[in-house]
Amino acid sequence: MVSARAVSTCLFALTLLAATARADPRPTEPAQAYFATEYEGAHWLHHRAHRGTGPVYIVTGPAAAQYANLPAVPLPVPVQAVIQVPVPAPVVVPVAVPVVVVQEAPVFRAGGSFDYQLASAQNAASLSTFAENKRWGVNLGYLSRFDDLKSGSWHGPRLLDAHLTFSPLSGQRGRVRLEGGVAGAMVPEYTLVGPSVGFSAELRVLWIFGVGLSGHITPFPFYRQELKQTVFAGIGPVRVEAGYRSTKMELNNNELSCTQGFFGGLSIIL
């Protein structure tokens, strides 16, 4: 009768031969040593053989104690490849910035105007001319009163003024002027000349339409006060004007002339 020890020895030998036959002479996995009894080694060897891994060497007996303190051989750790993907540069989209164009006033302009006033007491006709750049200019005006246009009978004083103008505000749509100079009143007996100050302003409100305002005063040797409101429509160099004018002149507290009424006129500005 065969003993159990003999059967175990035979199984161990057969398993060892099978593992040796299947072992790769160039193993991809480092050999591992297991230190156990013959019975345990047979079972481990059988398990490894079925798994198909690298060669396994089982050391038993006295040799097991000799190789028991060998350091474990670590398996190689696979290194993952790092693929660097280039990051595209940010695309800069140009943005159109609106440009604000400031329209400057003309460098130089000149012109003249004529208007006729229908007043309750006396009619009047006015002539004026001017020349100016962006800031400085001159203004000449003449105002004469008469009874009616048909007869041409002149009545009352005539007014002549000359002003130097300065424009603190000036542009394509309007202008503000400060004026200073002299004014003269011519009456049949004598002629009076005195200082004169005033202002004038104009503003184009909508398309070809605009408004204007002016005022002048002479404190001595005679008193003159004039206020003029104007509306106009300008097409090119031609401007049609209409409005209301009030003029008062006094000498030694005696009224020389007082004219109030609507007027219409025409201006040419180059």
Side-chain angles (χ1 to χ4, degrees), residues 169-186:
L169 299 177
S170 178
Q172 287 282 359
R173 297 179 60 87
R175 183 182 293 258
V176 175
R177 305 178 190 88
L178 302 179
E179 303 183 9
V182 295
M186 295 177 289

Side-chain angles (χ1 to χ4, degrees), residues 51-133:
R51 286 182 59 189
T53 58
V56 178
Y57 302 96
I58 299 176
V59 182
T60 60
Q66 179 180 357
Y67 296 100
N69 296 325
L70 291 177
V73 180
L75 294 176
V77 179
V79 179
Q80 296 181 354
V82 179
I83 301 176
Q84 295 183 354
V85 179
V87 179
V91 180
V92 179
V93 180
V95 179
V97 180
V99 179
V100 179
V101 179
V102 179
Q103 295 182 344
E104 295 290 340
V107 177
F108 178 82
R109 68 174 191 166
S113 64
F114 169 81
D115 66 69
Y116 183 76
Q117 181 181 16
L118 296 175
S120 58
Q122 294 176 329
N123 297 334
S126 174
L127 288 171
S128 65
T129 184
F130 73 94
E132 61 186 356
N133 57 19

Side-chain angles (χ1 to χ4, degrees), residues 10 12 38 53 83 90 154 179 212 230 266:
C10 292
F12 172 74
E38 292 181 0
T53 58
I83 301 176
W154 299 97
E179 303 183 9
T230 308
L266 185 68

Side-chain angles (χ1 to χ4, degrees), residues 7-209:
V7 174
S8 176
T9 304
C10 292
L11 290 175
F12 172 74
L14 292 175
T15 306
L16 182 61
L17 290 175
T20 306
R22 295 181 56 182
D24 190 351
R26 293 175 299 175
T28 59
E29 181 179 349
Q32 300 181 3
Y34 295 91
F35 307 95
T37 62
E38 292 181 0
Y39 179 77
E40 294 174 347
H43 281 276
W44 275 103
L45 187 60
H46 178 73
H47 175 68
R48 298 285 290 184
H50 280 281
R51 286 182 59 189
T53 58
V56 178
Y57 302 96
I58 299 176
V59 182
T60 60
Q66 179 180 357
Y67 296 100
N69 296 325
L70 291 177
V73 180
L75 294 176
V77 179
V79 179
Q80 296 181 354
V82 179
I83 301 176
Q84 295 183 354
V85 179
V87 179
V91 180
V92 179
V93 180
V95 179
V97 180
V99 179
V100 179
V101 179
V102 179
Q103 295 182 344
E104 295 290 340
V107 177
F108 178 82
R109 68 174 191 166
S113 64
F114 169 81
D115 66 69
Y116 183 76
Q117 181 181 16
L118 296 175
S120 58
Q122 294 176 329
N123 297 334
S126 174
L127 288 171
S128 65
T129 184
F130 73 94
E132 61 186 356
N133 57 19
K134 184 178 180 181
R135 297 299 179 194
W136 299 94
V138 292
N139 186 3
L140 303 176
Y142 174 78
L143 178 66
S144 180
R145 293 165 178 82
F146 48 89
D147 291 334
D148 58 74
L149 185 61
K150 292 182 180 180
S151 64
S153 176
W154 299 97
H155 179 75
R158 303 174 186 179
L159 183 64
L160 178 66
D161 52 30
H163 290 150
L164 178 66
T165 65
F166 171 72
S167 301
L169 299 177
S170 178
Q172 287 282 359
R173 297 179 60 87
R175 183 182 293 258
V176 175
R177 305 178 190 88
L178 302 179
E179 303 183 9
V182 295
M186 295 177 289
V187 295
E189 294 82 9
Y190 44 79
T191 299
L192 301 174
V193 178
S196 175
V197 294
F199 73 93
S200 61
E202 60 184 39
L203 176 64
R204 190 177 294 271
V205 179
L206 179 64
W207 190 33
I208 62 173
F209 303 101

